[in-house]
PDB file of all heavy atoms in Angstrom:
ATOM      1  N   HIS A  56      13.324   3.838 -15.218  1.00 96.00           N
ATOM      2  CA  HIS A  56      12.573   3.566 -16.444  1.00 96.00           C
ATOM      3  C   HIS A  56      11.280   2.898 -16.036  1.00 96.00           C
ATOM      4  O   HIS A  56      11.305   1.907 -15.317  1.00 96.00           O
ATOM      5  CB  HIS A  56      13.342   2.606 -17.363  1.00 96.00           C
ATOM      6  CG  HIS A  56      14.640   3.155 -17.818  1.00 96.00           C
ATOM      7  ND1 HIS A  56      14.765   3.983 -18.901  1.00 96.00           N
ATOM      8  CD2 HIS A  56      15.882   2.991 -17.318  1.00 96.00           C
ATOM      9  CE1 HIS A  56      16.025   4.318 -19.057  1.00 96.00           C
ATOM     10  NE2 HIS A  56      16.729   3.732 -18.104  1.00 96.00           N
ATOM     11  N   ALA A  75       9.054   4.836  -6.562  1.00 98.00           N
ATOM     12  CA  ALA A  75      10.488   4.593  -6.778  1.00 98.00           C
ATOM     13  C   ALA A  75      11.271   5.892  -6.637  1.00 98.00           C
ATOM     14  O   ALA A  75      12.338   5.932  -6.000  1.00 98.00           O
ATOM     15  CB  ALA A  75      10.696   3.981  -8.159  1.00 98.00           C
ATOM     16  N   LEU A  77      10.419   8.597  -4.958  1.00 98.00           N
ATOM     17  CA  LEU A  77      10.410   9.053  -3.561  1.00 98.00           C
ATOM     18  C   LEU A  77      11.427   8.274  -2.723  1.00 98.00           C
ATOM     19  O   LEU A  77      12.169   8.853  -1.918  1.00 98.00           O
ATOM     20  CB  LEU A  77       8.993   8.870  -2.985  1.00 98.00           C
ATOM     21  CG  LEU A  77       8.772   9.269  -1.535  1.00 98.00           C
ATOM     22  CD1 LEU A  77       8.999  10.762  -1.335  1.00 98.00           C
ATOM     23  CD2 LEU A  77       7.339   8.909  -1.094  1.00 98.00           C
ATOM     24  N   GLU A 128       7.792   0.508   9.050  1.00 96.00           N
ATOM     25  CA  GLU A 128       7.181   1.745   9.567  1.00 96.00           C
ATOM     26  C   GLU A 128       7.613   2.940   8.713  1.00 96.00           C
ATOM     27  O   GLU A 128       6.826   3.844   8.439  1.00 96.00           O
ATOM     28  CB  GLU A 128       7.599   1.994  11.031  1.00 96.00           C
ATOM     29  CG  GLU A 128       7.035   0.999  12.041  1.00 96.00           C
ATOM     30  CD  GLU A 128       7.612  -0.414  11.907  1.00 96.00           C
ATOM     31  OE1 GLU A 128       8.727  -0.560  11.353  1.00 96.00           O
ATOM     32  OE2 GLU A 128       6.934  -1.369  12.327  1.00 96.00           O
ATOM     33  N   LEU A 133       6.505   6.859   4.178  1.00 98.00           N
ATOM     34  CA  LEU A 133       6.744   7.332   2.801  1.00 98.00           C
ATOM     35  C   LEU A 133       5.499   7.083   1.948  1.00 98.00           C
ATOM     36  O   LEU A 133       5.081   7.932   1.162  1.00 98.00           O
ATOM     37  CB  LEU A 133       7.946   6.608   2.187  1.00 98.00           C
ATOM     38  CG  LEU A 133       9.331   6.974   2.750  1.00 98.00           C
ATOM     39  CD1 LEU A 133      10.403   6.049   2.180  1.00 98.00           C
ATOM     40  CD2 LEU A 133       9.666   8.438   2.444  1.00 98.00           C
ATOM     41  N   ALA A 135       2.401   6.990   2.834  1.00 97.00           N
ATOM     42  CA  ALA A 135       1.307   7.907   3.166  1.00 97.00           C
ATOM     43  C   ALA A 135       1.426   9.200   2.369  1.00 97.00           C
ATOM     44  O   ALA A 135       0.416   9.877   2.130  1.00 97.00           O
ATOM     45  CB  ALA A 135       1.297   8.202   4.666  1.00 97.00           C
ATOM     46  N   GLY A 147      -0.431  -5.454   4.387  1.00 97.00           N
ATOM     47  CA  GLY A 147      -1.330  -6.405   3.726  1.00 97.00           C
ATOM     48  C   GLY A 147      -1.988  -7.353   4.709  1.00 97.00           C
ATOM     49  O   GLY A 147      -1.927  -7.162   5.922  1.00 97.00           O
ATOM     50  N   ARG A 155      -6.652   9.100   8.094  1.00 95.00           N
ATOM     51  CA  ARG A 155      -7.154   9.208   6.716  1.00 95.00           C
ATOM     52  C   ARG A 155      -6.824   7.932   5.934  1.00 95.00           C
ATOM     53  O   ARG A 155      -7.079   7.838   4.736  1.00 95.00           O
ATOM     54  CB  ARG A 155      -6.592  10.441   6.027  1.00 95.00           C
ATOM     55  CG  ARG A 155      -5.111  10.386   5.701  1.00 95.00           C
ATOM     56  CD  ARG A 155      -4.655  11.612   4.923  1.00 95.00           C
ATOM     57  NE  ARG A 155      -3.217  11.679   4.812  1.00 95.00           N
ATOM     58  CZ  ARG A 155      -2.518  11.140   3.804  1.00 95.00           C
ATOM     59  NH1 ARG A 155      -3.128  10.491   2.842  1.00 95.00           N
ATOM     60  NH2 ARG A 155      -1.206  11.243   3.782  1.00 95.00           N
ATOM     61  N   ILE A 179     -15.012   5.680 -10.970  1.00 92.00           N
ATOM     62  CA  ILE A 179     -15.468   6.671  -9.991  1.00 92.00           C
ATOM     63  C   ILE A 179     -14.251   7.289  -9.301  1.00 92.00           C
ATOM     64  O   ILE A 179     -13.362   6.570  -8.842  1.00 92.00           O
ATOM     65  CB  ILE A 179     -16.399   6.022  -8.949  1.00 92.00           C
ATOM     66  CG1 ILE A 179     -17.662   5.488  -9.642  1.00 92.00           C
ATOM     67  CG2 ILE A 179     -16.775   7.022  -7.870  1.00 92.00           C
ATOM     68  CD1 ILE A 179     -18.695   4.916  -8.705  1.00 92.00           C
ATOM     69  N   ALA A 201     -17.120  -4.511  15.415  1.00 98.00           N
ATOM     70  CA  ALA A 201     -17.758  -5.841  15.414  1.00 98.00           C
ATOM     71  C   ALA A 201     -16.999  -6.805  14.494  1.00 98.00           C
ATOM     72  O   ALA A 201     -16.799  -7.984  14.832  1.00 98.00           O
ATOM     73  CB  ALA A 201     -19.214  -5.719  14.970  1.00 98.00           C
ATOM     74  N   LEU A 212     -17.391 -13.885   9.098  1.00 97.00           N
ATOM     75  CA  LEU A 212     -17.706 -12.463   9.275  1.00 97.00           C
ATOM     76  C   LEU A 212     -19.215 -12.234   9.175  1.00 97.00           C
ATOM     77  O   LEU A 212     -19.836 -12.636   8.179  1.00 97.00           O
ATOM     78  CB  LEU A 212     -16.973 -11.629   8.220  1.00 97.00           C
ATOM     79  CG  LEU A 212     -15.456 -11.824   8.213  1.00 97.00           C
ATOM     80  CD1 LEU A 212     -14.803 -10.947   7.142  1.00 97.00           C
ATOM     81  CD2 LEU A 212     -14.849 -11.535   9.588  1.00 97.00           C
ATOM     82  N   GLU A 222     -21.443   3.397   0.334  1.00 97.00           N
ATOM     83  CA  GLU A 222     -22.153   2.528  -0.617  1.00 97.00           C
ATOM     84  C   GLU A 222     -23.506   3.103  -1.051  1.00 97.00           C
ATOM     85  O   GLU A 222     -23.803   3.159  -2.265  1.00 97.00           O
ATOM     86  CB  GLU A 222     -22.348   1.137   0.001  1.00 97.00           C
ATOM     87  CG  GLU A 222     -23.006   0.151  -0.929  1.00 97.00           C
ATOM     88  CD  GLU A 222     -23.108  -1.244  -0.311  1.00 97.00           C
ATOM     89  OE1 GLU A 222     -22.116  -1.729   0.264  1.00 97.00           O
ATOM     90  OE2 GLU A 222     -24.189  -1.844  -0.407  1.00 97.00           O
ATOM     91  N   ALA A 223     -24.327   3.548  -0.114  1.00 95.00           N
ATOM     92  CA  ALA A 223     -25.691   3.991  -0.466  1.00 95.00           C
ATOM     93  C   ALA A 223     -25.641   5.155  -1.451  1.00 95.00           C
ATOM     94  O   ALA A 223     -26.388   5.182  -2.436  1.00 95.00           O
ATOM     95  CB  ALA A 223     -26.456   4.373   0.798  1.00 95.00           C
ATOM     96  N   SER A 275     -22.009 -14.719 -17.496  1.00 98.00           N
ATOM     97  CA  SER A 275     -22.956 -14.988 -18.595  1.00 98.00           C
ATOM     98  C   SER A 275     -23.975 -13.865 -18.728  1.00 98.00           C
ATOM     99  O   SER A 275     -24.478 -13.597 -19.828  1.00 98.00           O
ATOM    100  CB  SER A 275     -23.725 -16.293 -18.364  1.00 98.00           C
ATOM    101  OG  SER A 275     -22.828 -17.330 -18.180  1.00 98.00           O
ATOM    102  N   LEU A 301      13.132  -8.492   6.658  1.00 36.00           N
ATOM    103  CA  LEU A 301      13.171  -7.113   7.151  1.00 36.00           C
ATOM    104  C   LEU A 301      12.122  -6.847   8.212  1.00 36.00           C
ATOM    105  O   LEU A 301      12.244  -5.913   8.980  1.00 36.00           O
ATOM    106  CB  LEU A 301      12.959  -6.134   5.976  1.00 36.00           C
ATOM    107  CG  LEU A 301      13.995  -6.215   4.865  1.00 36.00           C
ATOM    108  CD1 LEU A 301      13.611  -5.276   3.749  1.00 36.00           C
ATOM    109  CD2 LEU A 301      15.376  -5.873   5.396  1.00 36.00           C
TER     110      LEU A 301
END
Side-chain angles (χ1 to χ4, degrees):
H56 298 275
L77 179 63
E128 292 69 23
L133 289 173
R155 70 176 170 91
I179 297 184
L212 304 181
E222 183 177 314
S275 305
L301 300 176

